[in-house]
Amino acid sequence: MNFENDESASPARAAAERAYEHVKSAIIRGELAGGESISENALRRELDLSRTPMHEAFLRLAAEGLLSLEHRRGAVVRPMSPHEARDVLEMREAIESAAAARVIADGAAEDLASALEGLLEEQSRAIEAEDVPAFIDADSRFHSAVIEGSGNAVAVMFTATLRDRQQRLRHQLMRVRPEQLHASLEHHRELARALAEGDPAAYARTLHEHVASHRGAL
């Protein structure tokens, strides 16, 4: 093994990872909007990186469907189409409904509902502070807690696959319609109540309304 080459490659990998995480986070949070061109040179100067790691990051983001690499325009943020958004919402609803039903069937609902109270309080404080990113973070952890609480490893795996798209969609919807935060919090309270009461039908019904409210904003 050539340790010298391995060691020299490590900083390059770290630089490419830093560029990738920086741009990906900006896209998911809506700081780089769909259709927006990205200047590779400006980003390189901002992050103090050479061309190679930035180019590798762009290639990786293009492979994930977040960027389009166009001949004349360079790197362009790919918008999330209404069709893709509907696909994400449908899968999210199906997975979470099944997960909640298992939590209730396994007798773990009451404990999970109690654990969710802290996240409901976080969301309430975020609304009071008009802190949309904090609300979105707590929102994500609320729904993830239900899926993880089911103990269904396949559901957790699929949710991880959807996570970036879900987060991008949450930021897109909540930033455009911040009034949606109050309605989302009320839905979350109803979801926690359905868990505490061991009512999978009520959970599924409320979740459907919750997702439909997002679908209507597309």
Side-chain angles (χ1 to χ4, degrees), residues 199-210:
D199 190 340
Y203 192 98
R205 186 169 55 251
T206 300
L207 182 64
H208 182 74
E209 293 172 5
H210 184 54

Side-chain angles (χ1 to χ4, degrees), residues 147-169:
I147 294 166
E148 291 168 5
S150 72
N152 186 330
V154 176
V156 172
M157 178 187 69
F158 275 117
T159 301
T161 303
L162 292 171
R163 181 166 289 118
D164 288 343
R165 287 180 172 86
Q166 288 191 68
Q167 284 298 84
R168 188 181 184 191
L169 186 56

Side-chain angles (χ1 to χ4, degrees), residues 87-99:
D87 288 348
V88 171
L89 290 171
E90 285 175 7
M91 289 305 300
R92 169 187 164 185
E93 181 179 350
I95 293 169
E96 188 174 334
S97 291

Side-chain angles (χ1 to χ4, degrees), residues 59-79:
L59 289 174
R60 186 175 169 187
L61 291 163
E64 294 180 5
L66 292 174
L67 288 183
S68 293
L69 302 181
E70 302 179 6
H71 177 63
R72 294 185 179 276
R73 295 183 64 192
V76 179
V77 178
R78 284 189 60 186

Side-chain angles (χ1 to χ4, degrees), residues 112-155:
L112 177 57
S114 297
L116 293 176
E117 288 299 321
L119 292 171
L120 293 174
E121 291 174 8
E122 281 189 42
Q123 291 170 68
S124 181
R125 289 195 298 270
I127 290 176
E128 291 177 4
E130 298 183 350
D131 190 340
V132 175
F135 183 93
I136 291 171
D137 178 64
D139 180 317
S140 175
R141 287 185 283 127
F142 180 97
H143 293 286
S144 293
V146 176
I147 294 166
E148 291 168 5
S150 72
N152 186 330
V154 176

Side-chain angles (χ1 to χ4, degrees), residues 8-56:
S8 64
S10 181
R13 284 197 299 268
E17 184 69 22
R18 184 158 66 93
Y20 165 81
E21 291 293 346
H22 178 86
V23 178
K24 180 179 178 179
S25 175
I27 292 172
I28 288 175
R29 294 170 68 88
E31 295 160 5
L32 290 171
E36 184 175 345
S37 297
I38 304 177
S39 169
E40 183 175 321
N41 288 332
L43 273 173
R44 287 200 295 109
R45 288 192 295 271
E46 179 184 344
L47 299 176
D48 192 23
L49 296 174
S50 63
R51 183 179 183 279
T52 298
M54 184 60 67
H55 186 64
E56 289 179 1

